[in-house]
Amino acid sequence: MEKQTLKDIAQKLMTGDKGLLAMDESVATCNKRFAEAGIPQTEEYRRKYRELIVTTPRLGECISGAILFDETTKQAANDGTPFIDLLVKGGIIPGIKLDEGAKDMPAFPGEKITEGLDGLRERLQGYAKLGIKFAKWRAVIIIADGTPTDGSIYANAHALARYAALCQEAGLVPIVEPEVLMDGDHTIERCFEVTQRVLRIVFEVLISQRVYLEGMILKPNMVLSGLGSKVQATVEQVADQTVKCLLRCVPAAVPGVAFLSGGQSGQDASAHLNAMHVRYKNKLPWALTFSYARAVQQPAMDYWKGKDENVAVAQQLLYKRASINNAARRGDYTAALEK
Ligand code: 13P
């Protein structure tokens, strides 16, 4: 493991006011989003859509790294240029989703365990050869009556730590994503309690598996009220509770924290990130940015609808949401930017 190389990649991913773009929807998830947007669910349409993203003019001004799904790493633009080459040319570091999805966890009804460790060392070598510099693994934690249990949190933390150690061995920076889902009618206080427990356990196990903290990135959820909760926290409450939780749990050695959006609207995800920067400017030990999928992509996907004549405007919408999140990272976001 080249520690300096890992550190350098992590620093580049966190650079300036940029963030990451998650475009790593699995075939099933991508097809589900396409179905909702009225787009045909075929490999060719998934290729066209990813071409739209990676050829968006000036996207590299806003986005430091893009997380890809395996299918996309083998695809190319209409002119034959591989997507990975287009990203690199545009100044965007290519990354890869390595987990194979969250499955029902045996003996833990209602909870999930993420699979994908078998053969991971060999898969990593293949991706490293393609020029991929970082990776992602998502664990799913569900808040409900009696969950999450420590049994499921520890099992998921262990998988995250094993994945992270294997990534670092191969010279890739691991993004460690323990996502506490927004689904449920829980309060923001309960989300805080669960997120805190999960992050403490995740770092305990990362450290026990000798993961090099300076060479990783954390991708957490924000601390939010449950989607179905009657009381929805304010933007300032979300910012305060999220930062308080991260300051308690995330070692200062970690270079960056990049949030998932998790089903928040694009506007909410930007406003929340912005409020954290406005309220905690110069008080955070790590870079704090975004690694959104839906909160950056959705307007572009909805506009595109699979039609070639809509590509240019869809690309403008993608660029706009990405650059709005740059403003949020600087603490310069205002609702007027949405016009
Ligand atoms: P969302 O921002 O849509 O939650 O996706 C982020 C992600 O990468 C989930 O794994």
Side-chain angles (χ1 to χ4, degrees):
M1 187 208 323
E2 280 293 338
K3 287 188 171 168
Q4 191 57 46
T5 310
L6 295 171
K7 243 173 141 169
D8 291 347
I9 298 167
Q11 292 297 348
K12 275 189 197 137
L13 289 171
M14 292 296 111
T15 211
D17 59 8
K18 292 184 187 181
L20 304 174
L21 175 63
M23 49 179 292
D24 61 338
E25 298 82 4
S26 63
V27 170
T29 302
C30 190
N31 284 349
K32 186 170 142 233
R33 306 241 161 104
F34 275 9
E36 286 159 7
I39 300 164
Q41 297 111 61
T42 65
E43 181 175 349
E44 176 55 11
Y45 275 89
R46 291 191 298 276
R47 191 201 64 76
K48 280 171 179 268
Y49 179 61
R50 267 71 187 245
E51 175 164 359
L52 179 161
I53 295 178
V54 304
T55 58
T56 292
R58 301 186 293 129
L59 193 63
E61 290 172 4
C62 319
I63 298 294
S64 56
I67 313 169
L68 309 176
F69 182 65
D70 178 70
E71 179 179 77
T72 313
T73 65
K74 296 167 194 142
Q75 290 173 329
N78 268 337
D79 69 0
T81 316
F83 287 155
I84 290 180
D85 294 358
L86 282 168
L87 285 171
V88 173
K89 219 173 115 203
I92 298 175
I93 303 173
I96 181 74
K97 169 192 171 80
L98 288 178
D99 67 75
E100 291 177 346
K103 310 285 161 61
D104 289 343
M105 181 157 162
F108 288 81
E111 296 193 274
K112 301 279 181 191
I113 179 71
T114 300
E115 294 186 349
L117 287 173
D118 289 352
L120 186 54
R121 177 175 273 144
E122 293 71 29
R123 286 168 62 213
L124 273 159
Q125 283 161 5
Y127 291 126
K129 276 195 196 116
L130 288 176
I132 285 175
K133 304 289 181 205
F134 73 104
K136 181 192 106 171
W137 181 289
R138 172 173 176 259
V140 175
I141 305 292
I142 297 162
I143 301 182
D145 276 353
T147 73
T149 60
D150 270 10
S152 90
I153 301 172
Y154 270 101
N156 276 293
H158 191 259
L160 279 166
R162 293 269 292 109
Y163 138 84
L166 281 161
C167 283
Q168 292 186 335
E169 179 189 79
L172 275 74
V173 167
I175 295 188
V176 171
E177 181 181 10
E179 176 175 2
V180 178
L181 296 186
M182 285 173 79
D183 305 75
D185 53 13
H186 51 271
T187 59
I188 188 170
E189 289 80 12
R190 175 113 165 92
C191 181
F192 181 95
E193 196 185 297
V194 171
T195 304
Q196 174 173 261
R197 178 105 190 110
V198 167
L199 291 179
R200 284 184 173 161
I201 291 173
V202 164
F203 279 100
E204 173 196 327
V205 182
L206 286 169
I207 290 163
S208 79
Q209 293 301 315
R210 302 182 177 174
V211 172
Y212 177 57
L213 298 181
E214 289 83 349
M216 64 160 276
I217 287 163
L218 179 72
K219 176 162 172 166
N221 53 285
M222 294 184 192
V223 175
L224 301 164
S225 315
L227 265 181
S229 172
K230 287 198 199 87
V231 185
Q232 289 294 317
T234 63
V235 170
E236 291 74 22
Q237 285 167 336
V238 169
D240 289 351
Q241 294 307 303
T242 302
V243 169
K244 179 175 169 186
C245 188
L246 293 173
L247 284 172
R248 284 187 176 185
C249 304
V250 185
V254 172
V257 174
F259 293 109
L260 58 97
S261 58
Q264 300 178 65
S265 69
Q267 286 87 334
D268 285 352
S270 303
H272 289 148
L273 178 64
N274 183 66
M276 291 180 218
H277 283 287
V278 169
R279 296 163 80 79
Y280 297 92
K281 207 177 185 66
N282 302 325
K283 292 197 183 122
L284 304 174
W286 2 255
L288 192 67
T289 189
F290 60 95
S291 176
Y292 300 153
R294 285 165 285 181
V296 167
Q297 291 184 43
Q298 205 59 51
M301 188 188 289
D302 290 341
Y303 190 92
W304 176 53
K305 289 198 168 52
K307 299 199 168 87
D308 291 346
E309 62 269 29
N310 293 345
V311 166
V313 175
Q315 288 179 326
Q316 287 167 20
L317 293 171
L318 185 75
Y319 178 87
K320 179 173 172 193
R321 274 257 62 85
S323 68
I324 278 181
N325 284 299
N326 298 148
R329 191 178 164 185
R330 297 191 303 270
D332 287 343
Y333 171 83
T334 61
L337 293 175
E338 301 288 355
K339 302 242 166 66

